[in-house]
Structures are given as structure tokens and as C-alpha cells.
Amino acid sequence: MKKPINPSTLSMKKIYLIAFLLFSWNLHGQGLPGLGAGTTPNNKPILHGKNWVAITGKPLGATAGAAIFHQGGNAVDAACAMIAATSTMWDVLSWGGETQALIYNPHTKKVIAINALGYAPSGATVAFFKSQEMDYPPQYGPLAATTPGTPGGIMTMLAEYGTMSLEQILKPSMELAKGYPIEAQTANAMEAQKKRIKEWPYSTKIFLPHLGEEREAPVAGEIFVQDDLFQTLSKLVEAERNALQEGKSREEAIYAAYDRFYKGDIAKEIVRGTQEQGGLFTEADLANWKVKIEEPLHVNYKGIDVYKLQEWTQGPALLQSLNILENFDLKAMGYNSANYIHTVYQAMNLAFADRDFYYGDPAYVDSPMKGLLSKEYAKERAKLIGELNDPKITAGDPYPFQGGSNPYLDILKKNHAAVASLSPDQINSTLDEQFLSDFQSGTTSVETADAEGWVVSVTPSGGWIPAVVAGNTGVGLSQRMQSFVLDENLSPFNLPEPGKRPRVTLTPSLALKDGKPLLAFAVQGGDSQDQNLLQLFLNIVEFDMDVQEGTEAPNFNSYQMQSSFGDHQMRPGAIVLREDTPDWISKELVKRGYSLEFWNKTSGPINAIWFDWKHGTFWGGSSDYGDDYGIAW
């Protein structure tokens, strides 16, 4: 065992160096124990900031945000630079993916929702996929791709709410594209997926620079160069510069770059390269797609307003869970007691059963969100929580709670019958590695805040390895089509058709108290996202944890809902707990009908910012799960 560091033996220069490394870089999430503010030692320290804070899933991404803040940018500018940087680093997202955000505007005191999710291309219909003998849209390849959303999301956020030029916020990502020392996680993912990568020539060119050698992907620390992507980003900067020289405003110049990506030569190459590899994109698909600036959904939980994106995401499931849990005295149960775990688990299952059946793109379907988010409906759902786990929980009927009748009762009955027919082998079954990989499909999160009052929470994703690269653009395509279903008995709201957005898992969060930001929080992890975020929120609000304690605290995950990935499987009755869960808790849960699995860390890499209005400061937290970390000033 290494001896603890004795500060008295160090020079002040060394002390400052160690502090800087701990608080700012911490590349592998291995902070020193015991630095937390609360009674439980934290593996990472709280980030305290007065002027700004930037947290994301990649340390270099946080560094990009810090660079923008130091140049005078606001939280939106920094968030855009961080999304761009992490999109260039590949293992959890890339430039052809999707970006969705919540932004608090301090001038209007309103929360804004950004919908930069791509949609299904021309020809993407239920009939088409069934003609390909598919039960679900594919998990990988050109037919898994929705239209690129992240470039439009970045440029729209920057133009509407930022202060800087596109050239300024793209500078860090362009430097990365010219070459950066790749980390082991990404390099090893390329090597592990090289057989699939070789199906796509433009992906092979980028990810396998040592083709024909024993190891064809880069090695950790090797300079990873993406010249095609650099050229694409340079074209965006060129379009902005030309517009500025013509006398256009900052906003107009950014939208000139937007048009070049979605309507100009970049779009033509994306379409050509995608069609060459078997995809469905047309130039009209890219030209007609638009970023949507929307009203978020929200509920009030014990005086706190919690905001989520609309039902094209799974975000409202967290809001439904809060409404249900408001009917219980959670604090009296005790943190992560058997009764608490059981109650929260059941509430999540009730909310996610509704998610699986009712959520979809509101531009195409009319989901009963008023009923689903009503307190009265939540009270009725709460009555279904008994002493034992119910592995056959199904969607409810929210229509009477919004003054209507359910037009899908026949389909709902078929759905109920399908769940009721689950065999004992399908209940409490083992969580195999492939199922967990699909269910927990990664992404990242970006959280920023500044002294002016801007707050940004983003969950960008899509285009992770192995990704199809669209021609010579360097742009990796999304895999989000797989989140559609092809059977209306599973969901009549989430069936693919051209121009429609799939119901996705991506779900940033903001909470306000007394009209002021209280918490900005997001997490990676597919269908587990709103489970983890719900527990973080309760950790802070019900159990008085600070933000770092809350992110590192043990979570638990249900797998009773349908996965949004792969074959959309579910594991009713399965629960994942942290491995240090006391035996008496585990035994009680088994008695209540659960099948237990254990992990050695918290069940999700959560990033969050808590607002200390008494002192006018920010508290940043990032779980000890992985590489996620941040910088504050």
C-alpha cells in the first residue's frame, strides 16, 4: 500500500501542482479518497467555482470548455465547444449523431429545450424493414442512421444563445482532428470492432490506419488524425467567414455554415457516401431537417420544478416517477433501505411501462402527456405498489385523466396480454453481457454554468464505434433508428416513417427552486439514464447529500422495461445493486421477488452542477464511474 501524501513535506509549488491535477485533469477518475465535504469519503473532490464550471465525459472536452470560458464565452459557447470536441473523440458519439439540450436563460428566467435529433430518412418505413426480414431497425450500419443532428444543434444553440463565432468554438475540435493522442478506451474499441468496421470503406480508412498489421487500430497514445473531418469543419468556418465578409451578422454567418452542411457540398457528399454504402438518405432529407426550439415538460416535486425534454425522449418518465413517489415518505424509509429500493424500483417500472407504450415524436403522434403527467394519474399508479415486486407491470390508461377516452384500448389489451404471458424463464433471468451492453449503450453529457446565469445541460450521442462514416466527410452516422419499434402492439406511437424522430433515451435535466437554477444534471447509459438521474435528485433533495456525494452514491437499476436498443429485450424482476449492498438488504429484496446482480461502482457516470445561491457559487459533481470530469473557476 502506498503511504498517504504528507503536505508538510511538499513545497508550495508541488502542492499547487497536485491540487491542479486532482481538480482539473484527473484523467482516469482516480481522485484521492476522503476529499468530499460530507461524512462519506468521496473518490473525487467537489468542483467549486465562482465564475464558471464545465463538466463532461472526456477530460479534453472539459478542457475545451475551459478554454472558451477563459476567452470570455458564456455557458452556451462553452457547451458548444465541448460537444464539438467530444464528437471528435469518437467512442461515445461523433459528428453525425444527435444533440439535445436544456438551457436556462437568465434574462427571460425560462428553460428552453433544444431538439437536434435527426429523423428517419426517405423510405424508412415499417414495411421496408419488414421486407428486409427485420424484427427491429438494425443496430449498426447505414440503415441504422437518422439524419445528422449534432452540427445543426451546435450551430443553432450558438447562434441563438451564444456570443462567439463558430470559428472560435470549433478551434479545439479542429485541433483534435488534426491529431491528438488517442486514449486506450477508444483505440481498443476500434480494434475490437474492426471486423464490422471493415464492412464500410470510409470507416476503415479512419479507424484502421495500420490495415494488414496484427493490430490494425491505433494504440493508446498514438496521434490519431482525421483529415477528412478537419476539412469538413474548415468548410464550415469558411462559410462563416465568407458571410461575415459580406456584411452578415454573427448569427447569419453561423446559419450560412449551417446551410453549407445541410444543403451544400457537405450534404451532397454525406448523401453520396451514405447511399454508396446502402443507406437511404436523400439531399431533401438533409435540407428539410430542422432543429426545433421547444417548450420543455416539467412537474413540481415538493416545491422544486423539474424540467425534461418532450416525449420524443424518455425524459418524462423521470417526471412521472417523481409524481408517483410524492405519495410516499421516502426519507422515513431510509436511504437505500429495502423498502426504499423496492418503492423507487416499482415507481420507475410504472413510469417506464407508460414510456414504452405511449411516448413518440409529438410532430407525428399525439401522446397523452397531460394525463401521464397529472398528479391524479400518479396517485392511481402509486396504488399498484405492493409489498412484492410485480414483474408484469404494464402501461396504464391516462386518457381519463385528461378528459378523453383511449383510442388504443384494443392494442393496450394485447400489450397487457403479452406481458401477462411471460414465462417463469423470462422473469428474473440472467443479465447476460450482450443484454447489458445494449441496455447501457453509452453516450456522454455536458454540463455548464456561468456567473451571468446561463445554465446548459446536454446529452449528446450517436455515431459511436463502430460507426458508418459518410463518404469523405469524416462524419460518423448515428445508430438511432434502432430505437423505433416495428410492432404497434409494443407501441403505436413509435413506429418509423420518413421525417419522424425515434423515441430516444437521451435526457438532460434541469431543476429550479424559487425560479432559480438548483441542479443541472445528466448521465450516460441508455435506458438507465432516468433511473440514475432520479436517484441523484432524491439523494440531494430527500437525503441532503452534496452534489459529489450524490453522484458517487450507490444506485440501483431496473431492467423490467424494454431496452431501446438491439432486440429491445427486457428482464422483469432483475435489479443491479452496488456490490457493497449489505447482506440484510439483499436478502430482503430476494424475499420480495427480485433477482440480484452486483456491480463494483455506481450504476452510471453522472455529471451535475448544484447552485449555492447563499454564496453565489457553483458546486460541480462527477461520479467515480469513468472518465467523466470537469473544471471550475
Side-chain angles (χ1 to χ4, degrees):
M1 180 180 292
K2 293 182 179 179
K3 293 181 180 180
I5 295 174
N6 182 353
S8 65
T9 66
L10 300 174
S11 67
M12 285 303 295
K13 183 180 289 186
K14 288 180 179 178
I15 291 173
Y16 283 132
L17 176 59
I18 290 171
F20 178 75
L21 291 172
L22 284 171
F23 279 80
S24 300
W25 298 96
N26 202 332
L27 293 181
H28 301 291
Q30 300 299 315
L32 292 178
L35 294 179
T39 57
T40 303
N42 292 330
N43 289 312
K44 289 182 180 179
I46 294 171
L47 293 167
H48 288 290
K50 181 180 72 173
N51 298 298
W52 51 262
V53 62
I55 309 176
T56 190
K58 291 287 183 184
L60 286 177
T63 304
I68 294 299
F69 274 129
H70 277 305
Q71 294 171 43
N74 69 9
V76 179
D77 298 317
C80 290
M82 292 161 72
I83 299 165
T86 54
S87 295
T88 306
M89 298 177 72
W90 277 105
D91 73 324
V92 289
L93 71 159
S94 63
W95 275 91
E98 46 271 350
T99 286
Q100 28 284 316
L102 292 172
I103 300 172
Y104 177 76
N105 184 333
H107 305 298
T108 63
K109 313 296 184 187
K110 299 290 186 181
V111 177
I112 305 147
I114 302 295
N115 177 347
L117 173 65
Y119 57 37
S122 298
T125 63
V126 171
F128 169 78
F129 289 112
K130 288 188 173 180
S131 75
Q132 305 297 306
E133 298 183 346
M134 297 177 181
D135 294 325
Y136 297 93
Q139 194 168 5
Y140 300 107
L143 293 179
T146 52
T147 54
T150 287
I154 290 173
M155 288 185 273
T156 298
M157 291 167 60
L158 182 67
E160 299 295 329
Y161 308 108
T163 65
M164 302 179 85
S165 69
L166 182 63
E167 182 173 7
Q168 286 174 296
I169 70 100
L170 287 184
K171 184 178 179 181
S173 56
M174 293 177 73
E175 290 181 359
L176 289 168
K178 283 193 290 187
Y180 74 96
I182 195 169
E183 69 275 20
Q185 180 181 357
T186 306
N188 291 339
M190 293 173 181
E191 180 67 13
Q193 295 285 350
K194 66 182 181 181
K195 181 178 180 181
R196 192 185 299 273
I197 287 169
K198 289 178 182 179
E199 297 175 14
W200 313 308
Y202 303 101
S203 303
T204 301
K205 179 174 69 169
I206 295 171
F207 300 142
L208 304 177
H210 309 299
L211 204 60
E213 300 178 18
E214 182 177 355
R215 182 183 173 101
E216 298 178 303
V219 297
E222 180 178 335
I223 301 301
F224 178 53
V225 178
Q226 302 171 75
D227 185 64
D228 285 348
L229 179 60
F230 178 80
Q231 296 302 324
T232 294
L233 299 180
S234 297
K235 290 177 180 178
L236 297 179
V237 170
E238 181 183 59
E240 180 187 50
R241 284 178 180 171
N242 290 342
L244 290 171
Q245 290 173 358
E246 294 170 2
K248 303 290 187 181
S249 67
R250 183 189 73 91
E251 294 85 352
E252 289 170 333
I254 293 169
Y255 282 124
Y258 181 114
D259 285 344
R260 185 168 187 180
F261 187 93
Y262 287 98
K263 299 177 182 179
D265 55 340
I266 299 173
K268 291 181 185 299
E269 178 58 16
I270 289 174
V271 170
R272 186 204 66 77
T274 303
Q275 290 183 351
E276 177 192 331
Q277 298 174 95
L280 300 175
F281 287 4
T282 67
E283 290 183 29
D285 290 331
L286 268 66
N288 293 332
W289 178 85
K290 295 287 187 297
V291 176
K292 294 185 177 183
I293 301 175
E294 301 176 339
E295 288 284 334
L297 299 173
H298 76 281
V299 300
N300 186 279
Y301 180 83
K302 298 184 178 180
I304 299 171
D305 290 311
V306 184
Y307 289 83
K308 301 293 285 188
L309 298 170
Q310 293 180 14
E311 65 272 21
W312 52 272
T313 74
Q314 68 174 339
L318 182 144
L319 305 182
Q320 287 189 247
S321 298
L322 287 174
N323 279 347
I324 293 168
L325 292 171
E326 207 168 29
N327 295 283
F328 300 89
D329 189 348
L330 299 178
K331 194 165 190 176
M333 294 178 186
Y335 170 70
N336 273 9
S337 66
N339 199 27
Y340 174 82
I341 292 172
H342 171 73
T343 303
V344 174
Y345 182 101
Q346 296 301 310
M348 293 191 304
N349 290 345
L350 288 162
F352 275 83
D354 285 336
R355 178 207 74 168
D356 289 344
F357 189 80
Y358 289 112
Y359 290 15
D361 184 352
Y364 281 73
V365 293
D366 188 14
S367 298
M369 295 312 300
K370 183 178 179 181
L372 288 169
L373 294 182
S374 71
K375 298 290 187 180
E376 293 76 17
Y377 179 66
K379 288 179 182 177
E380 289 301 308
R381 296 292 270 170
K383 292 176 183 178
L384 298 175
I385 299 178
E387 290 299 313
L388 300 177
N389 176 48
D390 181 359
K392 298 185 178 182
I393 284 172
T394 53
D397 184 2
Y399 283 90
F401 297 88
Q402 59 181 37
S405 58
N406 195 332
Y408 299 100
L409 276 180
D410 288 344
I411 297 175
L412 185 61
K413 289 175 182 177
K414 292 178 182 178
N415 182 276
H416 288 180
V419 174
S421 67
L422 290 172
S423 69
D425 290 341
Q426 293 173 291
I427 297 172
N428 295 332
S429 57
T430 303
L431 299 174
D432 61 84
E433 186 175 342
Q434 185 59 53
F435 171 78
L436 286 173
S437 175
D438 291 346
F439 199 97
Q440 299 280 351
S441 291
T443 176
T444 194
S445 59
V446 170
E447 308 297 306
T448 61
D450 63 35
E452 186 182 354
W454 289 95
V455 184
V456 185
S457 180
V458 195
T459 316
S461 190
W464 54 78
I465 295 168
V468 175
V469 174
N472 295 305
T473 64
V475 172
L477 298 178
S478 167
Q479 300 97 338
R480 201 56 61 174
M481 284 293 295
Q482 66 183 298
S483 292
F484 281 118
V485 299
L486 302 180
D487 182 354
E488 69 173 5
N489 293 321
L490 292 174
S491 171
F493 295 84
N494 189 33
L495 303 168
E497 54 185 298
K500 187 177 181 181
R501 289 166 166 86
R503 195 277 301 148
V504 296
T505 55
L506 306 161
T507 179
S509 316
L510 280 177
L512 274 59
K513 187 175 183 180
D514 300 325
K516 297 187 293 187
L518 173 71
L519 189 68
F521 52 121
V523 65
Q524 70 179 62
D527 293 274
S528 68
Q529 287 180 40
D530 275 310
Q531 300 184 56
N532 299 144
L533 296 176
L534 172 69
Q535 291 169 71
L536 168 71
F537 179 82
L538 296 173
N539 291 346
I540 293 171
V541 172
E542 293 287 0
F543 297 103
D544 302 318
M545 296 185 194
D546 68 44
V547 69
Q548 187 59 40
E549 290 170 333
T551 61
E552 290 192 22
N555 278 352
F556 51 89
N557 274 339
S558 167
Y559 295 89
Q560 196 148 305
M561 62 287 298
Q562 292 173 2
S563 171
S564 299
F565 305 93
D567 292 334
H568 293 239
Q569 296 181 49
M570 59 193 300
R571 295 289 190 273
I575 185 171
V576 167
L577 303 161
R578 203 161 79 174
E579 65 183 8
D580 57 2
T581 301
D583 288 343
W584 61 89
I585 302 293
S586 299
K587 290 176 181 177
E588 176 63 24
L589 291 172
V590 170
K591 290 179 182 177
R592 292 184 182 225
Y594 294 97
S595 173
L596 311 185
E597 301 273 346
F598 296 91
W599 287 355
N600 66 341
K601 289 188 176 182
T602 62
S603 301
I606 305 170
N607 292 320
I609 303 170
W610 182 77
F611 297 84
D612 181 354
W613 289 102
K614 180 179 180 181
H615 302 103
T617 61
F618 312 112
W619 294 40
S622 185
S623 79
D624 59 341
Y625 189 93
D627 286 348
D628 298 62
Y629 217 74
I631 305 175
W633 186 253

